[in-house]
Every structure is written in C-alpha cells, then in structure tokens.
C-alpha cells in the first residue's frame, strides 16, 4: 500500500508522545541520553552500509569507488538551498500558529518542543528517501525503521519538553505524504542510475542524522536567544534577548536572593 510508511511513522510519533507524557518523567536523564545515542549508532551503521553499497563495486578483481564528485556537489547545493529557505524559521512560525490554534497558549515550552522535535524527525534523509521509495516501489522499510527511531526520540523529548513534541506528526505527515505522492508522478522518468545516486546521497545524509543523535545538534551560528525568567511565576518568561557580535548580558535582581517563608 502506497503511503503506509508515513501512516506508520505518524502513528509511532503519536504513540511515543503519549507514552512520554505518561511515563517520560520517570526516565532518568542518563537513560534518555543512552536511548538517544543507541538510536544514533544504529542509524550510522545503517547509513554506512547503504552508502558503501552504492559507492563501491568490483571491476577486474579490484574494488573501486565512484560518485565522489556527485556527493560533494549534491551536499554543497543542498546546504545552500537549505540556508536560503531558512527552514528552521518556518517551523518556528508554524509552531507559534499551532500553539494558539490547539489551545496551548499557556504552554511556554510548546514552540521549543515543536520546533526541536520537528527538525529532528521531519528534516532528514530518511524522511525524503524513505518517502520516495515508498511512492515509487511501495517499499516502506526505511520509513518503518525511521518510525522505530522516532518513537524512542519523541518519547524521550516529550518527557523533557512537553506535549508540543507530539505535534511534530503534522509536518511529518505533510512532508512525507507530499513526497510519496510526487514520487508516484515522477516514477516513469526515473532511471535505475538516478535511483542508485539518490540512494547513495540519501545514505550519506542519514549518516549525518546519526551523528546528530549521538553528539547532538550544533548551533547554526546565529545569535543566542536568552530568555529572561519571571521572578515570581515559575515557567514564565518576561521576554527574550538576542545577542550578536560578541555582546553579553549580566543580570542582578531580587530573584537571585528571594525565598518563600511559609506563604510570604
């Protein structure tokens, strides 16, 4: 069934989110970190196997590699397009809209939870390559593997950041569903060579997903966004400051010293 991979993936995200809300707080930070790194290591080896299968071949009893220039060109072009589109900013704007539309306006961590989880489970090679293979051949094995990874990731994230992580199923459904449908239309013009190249580049990008899971996402180089917490209302923020160009903030106030004695 075409599209079954995306359905399974979205269901796993919702299931992980529900279990994360119910039991995530009982998972120690060390356990959460170990689960995430386990997913990352598994992803890295899956990616290495896929990339080597496409890059290496035997010619005249010798092992030779190919596609080096294609890899450099595709990764450079993809990076440039990604920076121009500024996808992370689009997710933040959608998260802000979703926060109010779903009645979570009082959840101060909703946008952070939605953006971080969406960028983790939605923007990645497994989502694109898996959806293409699902649309062209009906093979949803990559998306099924991604569903298992996403289940664990969302379970851990929801326990830490809150229910905003569950809503990452929406962009996953939109992105992967659209790619699956589009893949069905372009299937007649896709050659075996094109599919092989797509699989190779996709495996290398999946390798990068594994690196992010093991060692964490690195900053984009943009200015730091510093949240100023409310001194009396737990979990509330007075505002945000964006620091750029070597600037810094030093604060002082009664919230550094005040304590509650009884009701006062």
């Amino acid at each position: 069934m075409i599209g079954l991979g995306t359905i399974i993936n979205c269901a796993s995200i919702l299931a992980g989110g529900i279990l994360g809300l119910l039991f995530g707080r009982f998972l120690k930070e060390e356990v959460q970190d170990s689960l995430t790194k386990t997913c990352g290591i598994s992803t890295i080896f899956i990616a290495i196997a896929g990339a080597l299968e496409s890059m290496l071949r035997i010619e005249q009893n010798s092992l030779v590699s190919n596609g080096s220039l294609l890899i450099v060109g595709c990764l450079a072009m993809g990076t440039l397009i990604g920076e121009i589109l500024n996808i992370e900013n689009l997710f933040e704007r959608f998260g802000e809209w979703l926060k109010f539309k779903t009645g979570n306006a009082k959840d101060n961590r909703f946008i952070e939870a939605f953006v971080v989880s969406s960028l983790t489970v939605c923007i990645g090679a497994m989502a694109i390559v898996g959806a293409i293979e699902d649309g062209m051949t009906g093979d949803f094995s990559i998306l099924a593997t991604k569903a298992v990874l996403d289940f664990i990731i969302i379970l851990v994230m929801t326990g830490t950041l809150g229910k905003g992580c569950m809503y990452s199923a929406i962009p996953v459904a939109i992105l992967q569903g659209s790619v699956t449908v589009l893949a069905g239309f372009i299937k007649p013009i896709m050659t075996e060579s094109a599919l092989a190249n797509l699989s190779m580049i996709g495996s290398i990008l999946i390798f990068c997903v594994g690196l992010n899971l093991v060692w964490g996402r690195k900053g984009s180089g943009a200015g730091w966004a510093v949240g100023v917490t409310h001194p009396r209302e737990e979990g509330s923020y007075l505002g945000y400051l964006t620091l750029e160009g070597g600037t810094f903030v030093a604060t002082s106030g009664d919230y550094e010293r005040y304590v509650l004695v009884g009701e006062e």
Side-chain angles (χ1 to χ4, degrees):
M1 173 183 171
I2 302 298
L4 182 59
T6 296
I7 295 174
I8 295 174
N9 198 172
C10 292
S12 72
I13 291 174
L14 293 175
I18 292 172
L19 291 178
L21 287 175
L22 296 175
F23 307 110
R25 63 182 180 276
F26 299 114
L27 291 177
K28 295 182 179 179
E29 185 176 347
E30 296 81 3
V31 176
Q32 296 180 6
D33 185 59
S34 296
L35 286 173
T36 302
K37 288 183 177 179
T38 299
C39 292
I41 292 172
S42 302
T43 303
I44 287 174
F45 277 96
I46 291 172
I48 290 174
L52 292 181
E53 182 180 5
S54 300
M55 292 181 65
L56 302 180
R57 67 179 186 274
I58 297 178
E59 290 184 359
Q60 299 179 351
N61 297 324
S62 297
L63 188 64
V64 297
S65 63
N66 64 93
S68 299
L69 291 178
L70 177 66
I71 293 171
V72 174
C74 288
L75 293 182
M77 184 63 67
T79 300
L80 179 62
I81 294 174
E83 291 296 329
I84 293 174
L85 293 178
N86 194 7
I87 296 175
E88 185 170 351
N89 181 58
L90 296 177
F91 271 104
E92 289 179 356
R93 292 167 59 186
F94 181 66
E96 183 72 37
W97 176 83
L98 193 63
K99 174 181 177 179
F100 290 96
K101 290 296 183 180
T102 56
N104 292 289
K106 294 183 179 180
D107 186 351
N108 293 313
R109 303 199 72 180
F110 183 90
I111 297 177
E112 177 191 2
F114 173 76
V115 172
V116 172
S117 60
S118 295
L119 290 174
T120 302
V121 303
C122 188
I123 304 301
M126 296 185 83
I128 303 300
V129 178
I132 290 175
E133 290 201 0
D134 189 8
M136 288 189 173
T137 66
D139 180 7
F140 57 87
S141 58
I142 291 180
L143 291 184
T145 302
K146 179 177 180 291
V148 176
L149 297 175
D150 289 352
F151 172 81
I152 299 175
I153 291 170
I154 294 301
L155 188 155
V156 172
M157 284 187 170
T158 303
T160 304
L161 298 175
K163 60 184 176 181
C165 298
M166 296 175 57
Y167 290 89
S168 61
I170 297 176
V172 167
I174 295 174
L175 174 65
Q176 293 180 186
S178 300
V179 173
T180 299
V181 172
L182 180 62
F185 285 108
I186 65 175
K187 178 180 179 179
I189 62 174
M190 290 292 285
T191 63
E192 290 187 7
S193 177
L195 287 173
N197 290 335
L198 179 64
S199 177
M200 177 177 65
I201 299 299
S203 295
I204 293 173
L205 293 177
I206 292 173
F207 177 83
C208 297
V209 173
L211 294 181
N212 281 339
L213 291 174
V214 175
W215 285 285
R217 296 178 61 86
K218 303 301 181 182
S220 63
W224 285 85
V226 180
V228 181
T229 58
H230 197 291
R232 300 290 190 270
E233 298 178 7
E234 184 177 356
S236 297
Y237 294 88
L238 294 174
Y240 296 88
L241 299 173
T242 301
L243 308 182
E244 296 179 349
T247 57
F248 64 92
V249 169
T251 65
S252 178
D254 67 342
Y255 58 87
E256 294 183 352
R257 298 181 295 274
Y258 110 103
V259 293
L260 289 176
V261 179
E263 297 293 331
E264 302 180 357

